[in-house]
Amino acid sequence: MVAQIGSASEFEQAVKVDKLVVVDFFATWCGPCKMIAPMIEKFAEQYPSAAFYKLDVDQVPEVAQQNEVSAMPTILLFKNGQVIDKVVGANPAAIKQKIAAHA
């Protein structure tokens, strides 16, 4: 399951764990974001050891800004609160490869 993050404090709590955390930065108006969302759900099922979240950049812009997200979708991979990898754009193969490399 992919949970939605609705605030900066929720985001801080979500990413500071000692396991892989995948955050999909998206916007409701973004076509490629809608295309990639079902794939992210599928990856969440395939990699149960990782935590999956989505964050609407229009709802929580300060977090998007802090993480230098300028294009949607941007998928950031975290461990212990630190960004360890990044995929910009709706590229399911690249996203899966990065998740598999860190899971």
Side-chain angles (χ1 to χ4, degrees):
M1 194 191 94
V2 180
Q4 182 146 351
I5 293 174
S7 70
S9 59
E10 267 182 60
F11 173 79
E12 295 300 326
Q13 290 296 317
V15 299
K16 72 177 185 185
V17 295
D18 183 25
K19 68 175 181 177
L20 178 64
V21 178
V22 180
V23 182
D24 171 14
F25 287 82
F26 77 101
T28 54
W29 45 263
C30 162
C33 298
K34 289 183 176 89
M35 185 198 84
I36 201 75
M39 296 302 299
I40 302 290
E41 291 281 351
K42 201 167 108 182
F43 298 150
E45 290 171 22
Q46 290 175 345
Y47 297 95
S49 63
F52 286 78
Y53 297 95
K54 58 186 180 177
L55 185 143
D56 185 334
V57 298
D58 293 325
Q59 270 190 341
V60 197
E62 65 275 21
V63 173
Q65 213 170 11
Q66 275 174 342
N67 289 281
E68 298 172 7
V69 173
S70 57
M72 268 60 73
T74 294
I75 314 301
L76 294 182
L77 286 75
F78 293 85
K79 219 172 217 168
N80 294 317
Q82 301 298 311
V83 175
I84 55 169
D85 224 328
K86 173 182 197 170
V87 179
V88 178
N91 184 339
I95 296 166
K96 183 172 183 165
Q97 178 190 9
K98 303 241 185 214
I99 294 169
H102 297 290

